[in-house]
Amino acid sequence: MNIPNILTLSRIVMIPVFVIIFYLPFSWHYLAACVIFILAAITDGLDGYYARKLGQTSALGAFLDPVADKLMIAVVLVLLVEDDPDNWSFWLALPAAVIIGREITISALREWMAELGASSKVAVSGYGKLKTICQMVALGFLIYHNDLFGIPIYAIGMVLLYIASILTLWSMFLYLQAAWPQLKDSN
């Protein structure tokens, strides 16, 4: 067990804690859930940084890191859609379906490309990282839910989520385009 793996595992442990706090019947539950989500997002950045800096990359970390990311994002999206503030559920469900669908598609594509020995063709790209940052900020705003100093945080979160959805579709297109020669030749 090394520092990056501990950080990744802590992110997985934060998921049920996030769910419990999200549903607590207290006025501060959105703020507390947002803090947990931000901590999870920070560990997402730190685990990769420390894995490279300390030379502590591992097969377990390479497996767990994307799993932890996808689990947290999927859980947050499902809870936000279910929470349905101000009848926004349709407007949340659409980008949620795009984001979750893309994650499943790209995970399957990466697994298949790895079996072919061509996983480098679908390695994380700059667009994928930009998508992740936009998605994390959007979800943080949506979780926080409340206006802050008169700023409509939730509405800004919705706009950012749609931008993240567009980046999600674009990055998926780029990954599929990179994998297309292998997909086409697999027949």
Side-chain angles (χ1 to χ4, degrees):
M1 203 42 78
N2 58 36
I3 292 171
N5 289 348
I6 291 168
L7 289 169
T8 301
L9 288 171
S10 74
R11 196 159 67 251
I12 293 170
V13 169
M14 286 184 215
I15 295 169
V17 174
F18 173 85
V19 171
I20 291 167
I21 289 177
F22 188 84
Y23 283 113
L24 285 178
F26 299 111
S27 61
W28 47 265
H29 72 109
Y30 288 132
L31 173 61
C34 184
V35 168
I36 290 170
F37 181 76
I38 290 168
L39 288 173
I42 290 169
T43 66
D44 182 24
L46 288 177
D47 63 9
Y49 171 78
Y50 283 125
R52 288 182 296 279
K53 183 172 175 68
L54 302 174
Q56 294 182 343
T57 57
S58 67
L60 178 63
F63 166 72
L64 281 182
D65 181 54
V67 169
D69 297 346
K70 286 156 187 44
L71 285 173
M72 179 60 95
I73 295 300
V75 166
V76 168
L77 286 167
V78 167
L79 292 184
L80 287 171
V81 169
E82 188 274 333
D83 194 42
D84 188 20
D86 305 321
N87 296 316
W88 288 67
S89 62
F90 169 78
W91 299 108
L92 272 168
L94 187 60
V98 166
I99 291 168
I100 293 170
R102 181 260 190 207
E103 296 303 338
I104 292 168
T105 302
I106 298 306
S107 292
L109 179 66
R110 284 188 175 134
E111 181 180 337
W112 184 72
M113 293 294 282
E115 288 177 18
L116 297 177
S119 58
S120 64
K121 293 191 185 263
V122 287
V124 176
S125 70
Y127 281 108
K129 290 183 182 189
L130 179 61
K131 178 262 319 173
T132 299
I133 291 168
C134 189
Q135 189 173 270
M136 295 294 196
V137 173
L139 292 178
F141 279 24
L142 291 169
I143 294 163
Y144 182 73
H145 184 79
N146 302 307
D147 289 355
L148 184 63
F149 306 115
I151 300 169
I153 297 298
Y154 195 85
I156 293 169
M158 286 296 291
V159 170
L160 289 173
L161 189 64
Y162 272 83
I163 292 169
S165 296
I166 292 166
L167 291 170
T168 293
L169 291 172
W170 181 249
S171 68
M172 182 175 74
F173 170 76
L174 294 176
Y175 289 130
L176 290 169
Q177 184 180 38
W180 184 249
Q182 281 76 22
L183 290 169
K184 190 173 65 170
D185 291 342
S186 66
N187 294 333

Short mmCIF file of all heavy atoms in Angstrom, two decimals, residues 69-102:
data_model
loop_
_atom_site.label_atom_id
_atom_site.label_comp_id
_atom_site.label_asym_id
_atom_site.label_seq_id
_atom_site.Cartn_x
_atom_site.Cartn_y
_atom_site.Cartn_z
N ASP A 69 -12.91 7.41 -9.80
CA ASP A 69 -13.43 8.61 -10.48
C ASP A 69 -14.83 8.36 -11.02
O ASP A 69 -15.75 9.16 -10.79
CB ASP A 69 -12.53 9.01 -11.65
CG ASP A 69 -11.14 9.39 -11.22
OD1 ASP A 69 -10.91 9.60 -10.00
OD2 ASP A 69 -10.26 9.46 -12.09
N LYS A 70 -14.98 7.29 -11.74
CA LYS A 70 -16.25 7.01 -12.40
C LYS A 70 -17.36 6.71 -11.39
O LYS A 70 -18.51 7.12 -11.57
CB LYS A 70 -16.08 5.89 -13.41
CG LYS A 70 -15.34 6.39 -14.66
CD LYS A 70 -14.67 5.27 -15.40
CE LYS A 70 -13.79 5.76 -16.52
NZ LYS A 70 -12.92 6.89 -16.25
N LEU A 71 -17.02 6.01 -10.31
CA LEU A 71 -18.02 5.73 -9.27
C LEU A 71 -18.51 7.02 -8.63
O LEU A 71 -19.71 7.22 -8.47
CB LEU A 71 -17.43 4.81 -8.20
CG LEU A 71 -17.28 3.34 -8.55
CD1 LEU A 71 -16.54 2.61 -7.43
CD2 LEU A 71 -18.64 2.71 -8.78
N MET A 72 -17.57 7.89 -8.26
CA MET A 72 -17.96 9.14 -7.61
C MET A 72 -18.81 10.00 -8.54
O MET A 72 -19.87 10.49 -8.14
CB MET A 72 -16.72 9.92 -7.15
CG MET A 72 -17.05 11.25 -6.49
SD MET A 72 -18.07 11.14 -5.00
CE MET A 72 -16.84 11.15 -3.73
N ILE A 73 -18.39 10.15 -9.78
CA ILE A 73 -19.13 10.98 -10.72
C ILE A 73 -20.54 10.41 -10.96
O ILE A 73 -21.53 11.14 -10.94
CB ILE A 73 -18.37 11.11 -12.06
CG1 ILE A 73 -17.05 11.85 -11.86
CG2 ILE A 73 -19.23 11.78 -13.13
CD1 ILE A 73 -17.17 13.24 -11.32
N ALA A 74 -20.62 9.10 -11.17
CA ALA A 74 -21.93 8.48 -11.43
C ALA A 74 -22.85 8.64 -10.22
O ALA A 74 -24.04 8.99 -10.38
CB ALA A 74 -21.76 7.01 -11.79
N VAL A 75 -22.34 8.40 -9.03
CA VAL A 75 -23.16 8.53 -7.82
C VAL A 75 -23.65 9.97 -7.66
O VAL A 75 -24.83 10.21 -7.41
CB VAL A 75 -22.38 8.06 -6.57
CG1 VAL A 75 -23.07 8.49 -5.29
CG2 VAL A 75 -22.22 6.54 -6.60
N VAL A 76 -22.76 10.93 -7.84
CA VAL A 76 -23.14 12.33 -7.70
C VAL A 76 -24.22 12.70 -8.73
O VAL A 76 -25.22 13.33 -8.39
CB VAL A 76 -21.91 13.26 -7.82
CG1 VAL A 76 -22.33 14.72 -7.97
CG2 VAL A 76 -21.00 13.09 -6.61
N LEU A 77 -24.02 12.31 -9.97
CA LEU A 77 -25.01 12.63 -11.00
C LEU A 77 -26.37 12.01 -10.69
O LEU A 77 -27.40 12.68 -10.83
CB LEU A 77 -24.50 12.17 -12.37
CG LEU A 77 -23.40 13.03 -12.98
CD1 LEU A 77 -22.75 12.33 -14.17
CD2 LEU A 77 -23.93 14.40 -13.38
N VAL A 78 -26.38 10.76 -10.29
CA VAL A 78 -27.65 10.10 -9.96
C VAL A 78 -28.34 10.81 -8.80
O VAL A 78 -29.55 11.07 -8.84
CB VAL A 78 -27.42 8.60 -9.66
CG1 VAL A 78 -28.65 7.97 -9.03
CG2 VAL A 78 -27.03 7.87 -10.94
N LEU A 79 -27.57 11.16 -7.77
CA LEU A 79 -28.19 11.84 -6.62
C LEU A 79 -28.72 13.22 -7.00
O LEU A 79 -29.78 13.63 -6.54
CB LEU A 79 -27.18 11.98 -5.47
CG LEU A 79 -26.75 10.68 -4.79
CD1 LEU A 79 -25.82 10.97 -3.63
CD2 LEU A 79 -27.93 9.86 -4.34
N LEU A 80 -27.98 13.93 -7.83
CA LEU A 80 -28.45 15.25 -8.26
C LEU A 80 -29.73 15.16 -9.07
O LEU A 80 -30.65 15.96 -8.88
CB LEU A 80 -27.35 15.97 -9.06
CG LEU A 80 -26.17 16.48 -8.24
CD1 LEU A 80 -25.06 16.96 -9.16
CD2 LEU A 80 -26.60 17.59 -7.27
N VAL A 81 -29.80 14.19 -9.97
CA VAL A 81 -31.03 14.02 -10.76
C VAL A 81 -32.18 13.65 -9.84
O VAL A 81 -33.29 14.18 -9.95
CB VAL A 81 -30.83 12.95 -11.87
CG1 VAL A 81 -32.17 12.59 -12.51
CG2 VAL A 81 -29.84 13.45 -12.91
N GLU A 82 -31.94 12.77 -8.91
CA GLU A 82 -32.98 12.32 -7.98
C GLU A 82 -33.43 13.44 -7.06
O GLU A 82 -34.61 13.55 -6.72
CB GLU A 82 -32.47 11.13 -7.17
CG GLU A 82 -33.50 10.46 -6.30
CD GLU A 82 -33.67 11.12 -4.94
OE1 GLU A 82 -32.70 11.74 -4.45
OE2 GLU A 82 -34.78 11.02 -4.38
N ASP A 83 -32.52 14.31 -6.68
CA ASP A 83 -32.83 15.40 -5.74
C ASP A 83 -33.81 16.39 -6.35
O ASP A 83 -34.61 16.99 -5.64
CB ASP A 83 -31.54 16.10 -5.32
CG ASP A 83 -31.72 16.99 -4.12
OD1 ASP A 83 -32.42 16.59 -3.17
OD2 ASP A 83 -31.16 18.10 -4.13
N ASP A 84 -33.76 16.60 -7.64
CA ASP A 84 -34.73 17.37 -8.43
C ASP A 84 -35.14 18.72 -7.84
O ASP A 84 -36.31 18.95 -7.59
CB ASP A 84 -35.97 16.51 -8.67
CG ASP A 84 -36.94 17.14 -9.65
OD1 ASP A 84 -36.53 18.02 -10.43
OD2 ASP A 84 -38.12 16.76 -9.62
N PRO A 85 -34.18 19.61 -7.64
CA PRO A 85 -34.59 20.93 -7.15
C PRO A 85 -35.23 21.74 -8.28
O PRO A 85 -34.76 21.73 -9.41
CB PRO A 85 -33.28 21.57 -6.70
CG PRO A 85 -32.26 20.92 -7.57
CD PRO A 85 -32.76 19.52 -7.83
N ASP A 86 -36.29 22.40 -7.97
CA ASP A 86 -36.95 23.31 -8.92
C ASP A 86 -37.31 22.65 -10.25
O ASP A 86 -37.24 23.30 -11.30
CB ASP A 86 -36.06 24.54 -9.17
CG ASP A 86 -35.68 25.23 -7.87
OD1 ASP A 86 -36.54 25.31 -6.98
OD2 ASP A 86 -34.53 25.67 -7.76
N ASN A 87 -37.62 21.38 -10.25
CA ASN A 87 -38.02 20.65 -11.46
C ASN A 87 -36.99 20.71 -12.58
O ASN A 87 -37.31 20.84 -13.75
CB ASN A 87 -39.39 21.13 -11.96
CG ASN A 87 -40.48 20.83 -10.96
OD1 ASN A 87 -40.51 19.73 -10.40
ND2 ASN A 87 -41.34 21.77 -10.70
N TRP A 88 -35.74 20.61 -12.23
CA TRP A 88 -34.65 20.61 -13.21
C TRP A 88 -34.25 19.19 -13.62
O TRP A 88 -33.28 19.01 -14.33
CB TRP A 88 -33.42 21.30 -12.63
CG TRP A 88 -33.51 22.78 -12.48
CD1 TRP A 88 -34.34 23.48 -11.64
CD2 TRP A 88 -32.76 23.75 -13.19
NE1 TRP A 88 -34.13 24.82 -11.78
CE2 TRP A 88 -33.15 25.01 -12.73
CE3 TRP A 88 -31.77 23.68 -14.16
CZ2 TRP A 88 -32.61 26.19 -13.21
CZ3 TRP A 88 -31.22 24.85 -14.63
CH2 TRP A 88 -31.65 26.09 -14.16
N SER A 89 -34.96 18.19 -13.17
CA SER A 89 -34.49 16.81 -13.36
C SER A 89 -34.24 16.45 -14.82
O SER A 89 -33.26 15.78 -15.14
CB SER A 89 -35.43 15.80 -12.70
OG SER A 89 -36.70 15.86 -13.30
N PHE A 90 -35.11 16.88 -15.74
CA PHE A 90 -34.86 16.58 -17.14
C PHE A 90 -33.55 17.21 -17.60
O PHE A 90 -32.75 16.60 -18.30
CB PHE A 90 -36.01 17.08 -18.03
CG PHE A 90 -35.65 17.02 -19.50
CD1 PHE A 90 -35.69 15.81 -20.18
CD2 PHE A 90 -35.24 18.16 -20.19
CE1 PHE A 90 -35.34 15.75 -21.53
CE2 PHE A 90 -34.90 18.10 -21.53
CZ PHE A 90 -34.94 16.89 -22.20
N TRP A 91 -33.34 18.46 -17.20
CA TRP A 91 -32.15 19.20 -17.64
C TRP A 91 -30.89 18.64 -17.00
O TRP A 91 -29.79 18.82 -17.53
CB TRP A 91 -32.32 20.68 -17.36
CG TRP A 91 -33.49 21.22 -18.11
CD1 TRP A 91 -34.69 21.60 -17.59
CD2 TRP A 91 -33.60 21.35 -19.53
NE1 TRP A 91 -35.54 21.98 -18.59
CE2 TRP A 91 -34.90 21.84 -19.80
CE3 TRP A 91 -32.74 21.12 -20.60
CZ2 TRP A 91 -35.33 22.09 -21.10
CZ3 TRP A 91 -33.18 21.38 -21.89
CH2 TRP A 91 -34.46 21.86 -22.12
N LEU A 92 -31.03 17.96 -15.88
CA LEU A 92 -29.90 17.27 -15.27
C LEU A 92 -29.72 15.86 -15.85
O LEU A 92 -28.61 15.39 -16.01
CB LEU A 92 -30.11 17.15 -13.76
CG LEU A 92 -29.61 18.30 -12.92
CD1 LEU A 92 -30.14 18.18 -11.51
CD2 LEU A 92 -28.10 18.35 -12.92
N ALA A 93 -30.83 15.19 -16.13
CA ALA A 93 -30.77 13.80 -16.60
C ALA A 93 -30.07 13.70 -17.94
O ALA A 93 -29.33 12.74 -18.19
CB ALA A 93 -32.17 13.20 -16.68
N LEU A 94 -30.28 14.67 -18.80
CA LEU A 94 -29.67 14.62 -20.14
C LEU A 94 -28.14 14.64 -20.08
O LEU A 94 -27.50 13.71 -20.59
CB LEU A 94 -30.22 15.78 -20.98
CG LEU A 94 -29.84 15.79 -22.44
CD1 LEU A 94 -30.33 14.54 -23.15
CD2 LEU A 94 -30.43 17.04 -23.11
N PRO A 95 -27.51 15.62 -19.44
CA PRO A 95 -26.04 15.58 -19.36
C PRO A 95 -25.55 14.41 -18.50
O PRO A 95 -24.47 13.86 -18.76
CB PRO A 95 -25.65 16.93 -18.78
CG PRO A 95 -26.87 17.47 -18.15
CD PRO A 95 -28.03 16.87 -18.88
N ALA A 96 -26.33 14.02 -17.49
CA ALA A 96 -25.93 12.87 -16.67
C ALA A 96 -25.84 11.61 -17.52
O ALA A 96 -24.88 10.84 -17.43
CB ALA A 96 -26.91 12.68 -15.51
N ALA A 97 -26.84 11.41 -18.38
CA ALA A 97 -26.83 10.24 -19.27
C ALA A 97 -25.66 10.30 -20.24
O ALA A 97 -25.00 9.28 -20.50
CB ALA A 97 -28.15 10.15 -20.03
N VAL A 98 -25.38 11.49 -20.76
CA VAL A 98 -24.25 11.65 -21.68
C VAL A 98 -22.94 11.31 -20.97
O VAL A 98 -22.11 10.55 -21.48
CB VAL A 98 -24.20 13.09 -22.25
CG1 VAL A 98 -22.87 13.39 -22.93
CG2 VAL A 98 -25.36 13.31 -23.22
N ILE A 99 -22.75 11.87 -19.79
CA ILE A 99 -21.49 11.68 -19.06
C ILE A 99 -21.32 10.23 -18.64
O ILE A 99 -20.25 9.63 -18.84
CB ILE A 99 -21.41 12.65 -17.86
CG1 ILE A 99 -21.25 14.09 -18.38
CG2 ILE A 99 -20.28 12.27 -16.92
CD1 ILE A 99 -21.45 15.16 -17.33
N ILE A 100 -22.35 9.64 -18.06
CA ILE A 100 -22.24 8.24 -17.62
C ILE A 100 -22.08 7.31 -18.82
O ILE A 100 -21.27 6.39 -18.80
CB ILE A 100 -23.44 7.85 -16.73
CG1 ILE A 100 -23.39 8.63 -15.40
CG2 ILE A 100 -23.45 6.34 -16.47
CD1 ILE A 100 -24.64 8.51 -14.55
N GLY A 101 -22.85 7.57 -19.87
CA GLY A 101 -22.73 6.75 -21.09
C GLY A 101 -21.34 6.83 -21.70
O GLY A 101 -20.78 5.82 -22.13
N ARG A 102 -20.77 8.02 -21.73
CA ARG A 102 -19.42 8.18 -22.27
C ARG A 102 -18.41 7.42 -21.42
O ARG A 102 -17.51 6.76 -21.94
CB ARG A 102 -19.06 9.68 -22.30
CG ARG A 102 -17.68 9.98 -22.86
CD ARG A 102 -16.70 10.22 -21.75
NE ARG A 102 -15.43 10.73 -22.27
CZ ARG A 102 -14.30 10.54 -21.66
NH1 ARG A 102 -14.24 9.86 -20.54
NH2 ARG A 102 -13.19 11.03 -22.15
#
